[in-house]
């Protein structure tokens, strides 16, 4: 992955892990994220399951899930793409 894509992916991961509502439920639930990230569930029937974060107006994306841990959430990126 090119360096600019890698930096954007790392920045997106940091934003996602510190989100107030990591499952992004409801309308405009991702308004606290930077303008270059939009988040949606992978399947609308599974809002607590995998999510997709579109990066930089569609130049790339991350598919990720959250795993609850004792003290905090853990993000697991299962797929990353950069064009």
């Amino acid at each position: 992955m090119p360096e600019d894509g890698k930096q954007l992916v790392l920045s997106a991961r940091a934003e996602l892990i510190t989100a107030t509502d990591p499952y992004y439920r409801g309308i405009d639930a991702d308004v606290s994220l930077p303008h270059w990230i939009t988040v949606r569930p992978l399947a609308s029937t599974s809002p607590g399951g995998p999510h997709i974060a579109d990066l930089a107006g569609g130049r790339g994306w991350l598919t990720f899930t959250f795993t609850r841990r004792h003290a905090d959430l853990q993000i697991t990126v299962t797929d990353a793409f950069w064009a």
Side-chain angles (χ1 to χ4, degrees):
M1 181 176 291
E3 190 60 35
D4 60 338
K6 187 185 302 185
Q7 290 303 317
L8 202 59
V9 165
L10 292 174
S11 296
R13 183 186 173 283
E15 293 288 343
L16 295 170
I17 199 67
T18 59
T20 305
D21 179 10
Y23 292 104
Y24 300 97
R25 296 169 284 226
I27 297 171
D28 293 333
D30 60 357
V31 294
S32 64
L33 293 174
H35 70 279
W36 49 270
I37 303 174
T38 57
V39 176
R40 59 188 163 84
L42 187 59
S44 61
T45 56
S46 180
H51 281 64
I52 295 177
D54 294 310
L55 308 175
R59 284 197 63 200
W61 68 80
L62 298 175
T63 304
F64 63 94
T65 57
F66 284 99
T67 305
R68 290 216 180 265
R69 297 191 319 183
H70 178 67
D72 58 341
L73 292 172
Q74 175 181 334
I75 185 173
T76 303
V77 176
T78 56
D79 187 28
F81 174 80
W82 187 256

